Amino acid sequence: MKKLSTLRKVLAVAIGTVAAAAIAVPASAAQPGPTGEMGPAVVGGTRAAQGEFPWMVRLSMGCGGAMYADNLVLTAAHCVSGTGNNTSITATYGAVDLQSSSRVTRTSKYVYRNPGYSTSAGGDWALIQLSSPITNAAKLPIATSTAYDSGTFTIIGWGAASEGGAQQRYLLKATVPFVSDTSCKTPYPSLKAAVEICAGYTQGGTDTCQGDSGGPMVRRDNANNWVQVGIVSYGRGCARPNYPGVYAQVSALSTAIAAKARELRV
Ligand code: ARG
């Protein structure tokens, strides 16, 4: 049962405060689509158009991220090992197809991992400083108030299309509704409600999954521009009924993110 134990390990790391022993791994929570195929990545999603989410980044450790400045990618703390010089990460930008010849790549130079993440405070965010900027990169603004912490969110990623499934070549997207902290504490009693926000359908079927971590959860603001409200963090399995996805709540972390970014940006 190598695959199963590997998944357990991934989940144990990802879920953190949820006891690993409590995680059951079913054969699959995803259902075949109307044409019989298994749904594409970001379980229950569809293909994103080239240029639709221009600030979206794939990171070589198998995570997502979003451009915050020409030389900074915002991702999840659990995607990186710690703070310090780090030249091991490749960021891929500018293409929904990770094998596209028009993709843009950069190597990391430095990583800042929110120190609060490993404490009771939580806050699953990190900034990756690139070795050279992507000049005039599309940047994703982060939510600075709770004004957009409700409604319908868009989730995006190259992660697994189903629990235990393969990483994807083409970027996928889906929409999921906000889930209140009160509701989210039923499946996740140790939810850090001050710094986490949940999203998903009661009936499941649509969710982020392994490999989507660190990527943005977004919605439109009042000016119809994308704003980042979440960072893919964890969930029990993927797309299971009554188990929404849990995201770092960007509005609660934005002051700290912006302050660190000011130090690190070009
Ligand atoms: N922690 C996972 C990762 O590293 C993301 C899990 C998201 N799970 C979910 N059910 N929304 O990629």
Side-chain angles (χ1 to χ4, degrees):
M1 297 298 279
K2 181 165 182 290
K3 185 179 163 192
L4 209 151
S5 65
T6 303
L7 181 58
R8 278 185 192 279
K9 255 179 266 171
V10 171
L11 289 167
V13 170
I15 293 183
T17 54
V18 177
I23 299 162
V25 181
S28 176
Q31 298 301 314
T35 53
E37 85 291 4
M38 294 306 288
V42 169
V43 182
T46 60
R47 287 266 297 270
Q50 179 59 37
E52 189 175 2
F53 307 105
W55 24 256
M56 186 69 193
V57 169
R58 175 68 171 182
L59 297 169
S60 55
M61 81 293 274
C63 279
M67 295 302 297
Y68 183 87
D70 283 355
N71 68 330
L72 292 178
V73 177
L74 179 60
T75 188
H78 84 262
C79 286
V80 300
S81 47
T83 295
N85 294 337
N86 185 327
T87 58
S88 73
I89 303 164
T90 301
T92 301
Y93 165 89
V96 294
D97 175 4
L98 292 176
Q99 293 172 30
S100 169
S101 56
S102 57
R103 70 192 187 273
V104 173
T105 62
R106 292 290 188 275
T107 302
S108 61
K109 172 159 105 181
Y110 177 83
V111 170
Y112 179 81
R113 187 183 201 251
N114 173 28
Y117 179 65
S118 57
T119 75
S120 59
D124 194 0
W125 69 270
L127 284 167
I128 296 176
Q129 188 182 47
L130 304 177
S131 55
S132 67
I134 298 173
T135 305
N136 294 322
K139 269 84 71 180
L140 178 60
I142 61 173
T144 56
S145 82
T146 57
Y148 299 112
D149 290 353
S150 62
T152 301
F153 305 128
T154 295
I155 50 177
I156 315 147
W158 287 276
S162 60
E163 268 188 52
Q167 299 295 295
Q168 300 294 304
R169 171 174 172 176
Y170 297 97
L171 182 62
L172 275 297
K173 62 172 179 177
T175 59
V176 280
F178 168 76
V179 171
S180 71
D181 288 340
T182 302
S183 298
C184 201
K185 276 187 167 169
T186 300
Y188 304 111
S190 55
L191 185 80
K192 296 178 192 295
V195 295
E196 293 177 338
I197 182 170
C198 303
Y201 292 98
T202 304
Q203 70 269 28
T206 307
D207 197 5
T208 46
C209 199
Q210 269 56 40
D212 293 321
S213 277
M217 179 169 78
V218 298
R219 55 160 286 171
R220 298 284 189 173
D221 67 12
N222 291 338
N224 206 36
N225 295 312
W226 291 117
V227 60
Q228 182 171 4
V229 299
I231 299 170
V232 180
S233 187
Y234 66 93
R236 177 163 169 155
C238 304
R240 296 189 195 181
N242 301 116
Y243 287 94
V246 185
Y247 300 78
Q249 187 172 359
V250 168
S251 63
L253 305 163
S254 61
T255 303
I257 294 169
K260 184 50 63 174
R262 270 191 295 276
E263 288 177 28
L264 297 177
R265 70 189 305 159
V266 281

